[in-house]
Amino acid sequence: MPLTANNAKFMIAPMLSVRNGAQAIEFYQRALGAQVRFRVDGEGGSVVAELSAGDSVFWLADESPEHQNFSPESLGGSSVRMVVTTDDPDGMFQQAVAAGATIVWPVEDQPYGWRVGRIADPFGHHWEIGRPLSK
Amino acid sequence: MPLTANNAKFMIAPMLSVRNGAQAIEFYQRALGAQVRFRVDGEGGSVVAELSAGDSVFWLADESPEHQNFSPESLGGSSVRMVVTTDDPDGMFQQAVAAGATIVWPVEDQPYGWRVGRIADPFGHHWEIGRPLSK
């Protein structure tokens, strides 16, 4: 089965909508060791940025509800959570909390076969940090 | 700078909350040529699935508001949009629309240097499909 109609290759990366993107970049640098690959600062202090963290890339941008880009704070919740797979969920979890994240539930062995915990970052996005117990 | 406190490697993948995860899997198979890497069917028809599409991996799961996992339909919007980078945004866009996505704005050359369009999938998640114009 072709990946697309014409076998084009593609990559998918999530773009997190936040309030105060500049602060969010600093948080993800501290929490995840993220590096800034691309950043544009717009009028009024808004930011669009592409970050790399671990083996992955994600984007963040200040929310713009007029363009249907809503922060979790505006919606009262998040429609996408971020799943982090790492050999050291306990260490990454602690680092994120030290950087300012809030514990939703701590890192524990779960009956579905993962050692995993969940945090909310200061911008309302939720992150599950874990590893498969079989590995 | 260490990636984490102890140089652990990690990967990040988004988990999309949806209503009717089983239908969502079928949609992403048609729209993106997604393949199912992992799937668990729970009680009441709920699903958790890990999909691969192009060079990327993402998850989806039926929403569970009691666990702070909200679909865009429940929130009235999405806090994360998905950015697809491909050599053929026009073809992928057409394929997604043919699979049932709604056009938010069509594929066009944008002043910020991308040829890109935006769709809403049937579950309320938004996807921007594009490529840098410089390439």
Side-chain angles (χ1 to χ4, degrees):
Chain A
M1 182 170 63
L3 289 175
T4 69
N6 55 8
N7 278 320
K9 286 204 169 191
F10 59 97
M11 296 190 320
I12 302 171
M15 169 94 78
L16 284 62
S17 295
V18 295
R19 293 184 184 167
N20 203 330
Q23 282 186 13
I25 291 171
E26 293 176 10
F27 170 80
Y28 296 126
Q29 287 175 318
R30 291 195 310 275
L32 302 171
Q35 313 243 349
V36 178
R37 286 162 53 105
F38 173 84
R39 173 176 177 157
V40 173
D41 289 78
E43 296 176 13
S46 69
V47 171
V48 177
E50 183 186 18
L51 305 180
S52 63
D55 294 334
S56 300
V57 168
F58 66 99
W59 295 75
L60 68 82
D62 277 271
E63 71 174 341
S64 52
E66 68 275 23
H67 299 117
Q68 300 187 59
N69 303 321
F70 302 99
S71 72
E73 292 168 283
S74 291
L75 294 173
S78 176
S79 55
V80 175
R81 60 193 186 275
M82 306 292 276
V83 178
V84 179
T85 306
T86 173
D87 288 341
D88 180 24
D90 296 79
M92 281 196 70
F93 192 91
Q94 288 174 12
Q95 180 172 293
V97 172
T102 303
I103 297 173
V104 179
W105 33 268
V107 178
E108 291 178 338
D109 291 356
Q110 296 291 339
Y112 50 86
W114 279 61
R115 178 167 181 78
V116 58
R118 178 162 169 168
I119 57 155
D121 71 33
F123 311 91
H125 291 283
H126 283 221
W127 300 71
E128 291 187 6
I129 301 173
R131 64 172 173 80
L133 283 171
S134 55
K135 290 183 182 175
Chain B
M1 184 170 62
L3 290 175
T4 70
N6 54 9
N7 279 320
K9 286 204 171 192
F10 59 97
M11 297 191 319
I12 303 171
M15 169 93 78
L16 284 61
S17 295
V18 296
R19 293 185 184 168
N20 203 330
Q23 284 186 12
I25 293 170
E26 293 177 10
F27 169 79
Y28 295 127
Q29 289 175 318
R30 292 196 308 276
L32 302 172
Q35 314 242 348
V36 178
R37 286 163 54 107
F38 173 82
R39 174 176 177 157
V40 172
D41 290 78
E43 296 177 12
S46 69
V47 171
V48 177
E50 183 187 17
L51 305 180
S52 63
D55 293 333
S56 300
V57 168
F58 66 100
W59 295 75
L60 67 85
D62 278 271
E63 71 174 340
S64 53
E66 68 276 24
H67 299 116
Q68 301 188 57
N69 303 320
F70 303 98
S71 71
E73 292 168 284
S74 291
L75 293 174
S78 174
S79 56
V80 175
R81 59 192 187 277
M82 306 292 275
V83 177
V84 180
T85 305
T86 172
D87 288 340
D88 181 25
D90 296 80
M92 281 198 69
F93 192 91
Q94 288 174 12
Q95 180 172 294
V97 172
T102 302
I103 297 173
V104 180
W105 32 267
V107 178
E108 293 179 337
D109 292 355
Q110 296 291 339
Y112 50 87
W114 279 62
R115 178 169 181 78
V116 58
R118 179 162 169 168
I119 57 155
D121 71 32
F123 310 92
H125 292 283
H126 284 220
W127 300 70
E128 291 188 4
I129 301 172
R131 64 173 172 81
L133 283 172
S134 54
K135 291 181 182 175

